[in-house]
Amino acid sequence: MDTEAKRTAAREDLAGRDGVLVAFSGGVDSSVVAAIAHDALGDDAVACTARSETLPAAELDEARRVADEIGIRYVEVTFSELDSDAFRRNDDDRCYHCRSMRLSAMFDKAADLAIPIVCDGTNASDPGDGHRPGLRAVDELDAYSPLLAHDIEKDEVREIARQYDLSVADKPSMACLSSRIPTGLAVTEDRLSRVERAERLLRTWGFEQFRVRDHDGIARIEVGEDELEAALDLDFVRAARDHIADLGFDHVTLDLHGYRTGSVSPAAEAETDILAADYPTD
């Protein structure tokens, strides 16, 4: 089945529902689900973003903008992952605890709106894509994943986004801020805040694919391979050294491997060949 046929099948599937609430981050996956749902159901489709300490303010603004671009009804819920001891502990199941709380907040909102189904953006490439404990929460809470149900893989998600003329069609993946903290190091509001502010600097400098990993006093900057040269620019080196150090880091480093998803996850921690250029802070 080609991509257009899959999109049509997903649209017909959702059109047969009484209404859906889409767990909406503003990333390409949830934006495509929202676009298909709005196409199929009009005002009976709602996009919902969950606000918490792990969501960067820039991503919340982006979610609002993309929802307006799609034209879908948009609501927000607020909760705190930091209320959970299990989440703050930051073990191998952190993403499971986060997704469970986030989706639970979505189901509560859907019930308030008398909407019977909560959809998420899990696509057909996700189940085989490394350590993904959050998918267990999707299964346990019985959220519906139309992209997965209709075998729509990541490259096809982006193709459908272009068909809908979505501005996020080529947007890089952006995991929550807690993914920047190595497994086993407690997630705290201070660590989340300084990571967000450090990444704001990278965004201001024009970087597109990046992370700032918080190694308890060491800020490890990752940028896309095609942006490494810009990260070695002396003006940026000085800015990173001075401004990121001011956020409470003892050292600022650049990972010469470049950006890698899950580089502080349990699987990645088995790798010991990290190369780094140090931006000294003194």
Side-chain angles (χ1 to χ4, degrees):
M1 186 181 295
D2 64 19
T3 303
E4 179 58 29
K6 291 180 182 181
R7 179 180 76 150
T8 299
R11 184 190 180 284
E12 291 175 352
D13 176 357
L14 295 184
R17 314 281 177 161
D18 292 331
V20 300
L21 182 142
V22 179
F24 185 74
S25 67
V28 64
D29 296 320
S30 64
S31 294
V32 164
V33 174
I36 293 173
H38 177 61
D39 190 7
L41 293 165
D43 287 343
D44 289 328
V46 176
C48 181
T49 300
R51 303 174 58 175
S52 72
E53 298 92 343
T54 66
L55 178 68
E59 291 300 304
L60 178 60
D61 290 342
E62 178 79 344
R64 292 166 174 165
R65 183 192 66 77
V66 177
D68 184 65
E69 178 182 291
I70 294 168
I72 193 170
R73 287 172 60 196
Y74 177 76
V75 298
E76 294 175 3
V77 295
T78 301
F79 78 109
S80 176
E81 291 105 336
L82 298 180
D83 289 341
S84 166
D85 290 340
F87 175 82
R88 292 197 310 273
R89 196 162 48 239
N90 194 18
D91 60 16
D92 293 358
D93 282 336
R94 182 200 66 230
C95 290
Y96 166 75
H97 300 304
C98 173
R99 185 71 70 89
S100 294
M101 288 184 284
R102 191 171 296 273
L103 281 175
S104 293
M106 300 289 181
F107 276 97
D108 289 344
K109 188 64 174 179
D112 290 343
L113 297 174
I115 294 175
I117 297 173
V118 172
C119 293
D120 87 318
T122 303
N123 66 64
S125 300
D126 287 335
D129 190 19
H131 183 66
R132 300 295 296 270
L135 297 183
R136 178 156 51 98
V138 175
D139 290 338
E140 290 180 358
L141 290 168
D142 201 26
Y144 183 56
S145 306
L147 302 177
L148 178 61
H150 294 280
D151 197 31
I152 299 174
E153 298 183 344
K154 188 69 175 191
D155 57 342
E156 295 175 307
V157 173
R158 295 194 185 280
E159 183 179 341
I160 293 171
R162 286 187 282 271
Q163 291 171 356
Y164 279 112
D165 198 26
L166 298 181
S167 60
V168 294
D170 297 310
K171 181 180 179 180
S173 299
M174 184 61 71
C176 79
L177 290 171
S178 60
S179 68
R180 281 56 152 182
I181 301 173
T183 303
L185 186 63
V187 178
T188 67
E189 189 167 0
D190 284 346
R191 286 178 177 136
L192 295 172
S193 177
R194 69 187 183 186
V195 165
E196 179 176 9
R197 287 180 287 163
E199 291 192 348
R200 190 180 303 145
L201 176 68
L202 270 67
R203 187 176 292 106
T204 299
W205 273 78
F207 291 97
E208 295 183 359
Q209 184 80 76
F210 58 82
R211 297 286 190 273
V212 176
R213 311 290 188 183
D214 187 334
H215 291 265
D216 198 23
I218 299 175
R220 176 164 60 88
I221 298 172
E222 297 178 5
V223 300
E225 186 173 348
D226 60 345
E227 297 181 298
L228 275 172
E229 184 175 352
L232 291 168
D233 176 85
L234 286 179
D235 287 338
F236 175 72
V237 169
R238 295 186 188 100
R241 178 187 62 206
D242 296 340
H243 296 293
I244 294 181
D246 285 346
L247 302 177
F249 292 102
D250 299 321
H251 294 279
V252 182
T253 66
L254 174 69
D255 191 327
L256 299 183
H257 282 297
Y259 167 75
R260 295 169 295 153
T261 59
S263 69
V264 293
S265 69
E269 286 168 359
E271 300 176 7
T272 58
D273 59 338
I274 294 176
L275 304 176
D278 192 18
Y279 295 166
T281 61
D282 49 274

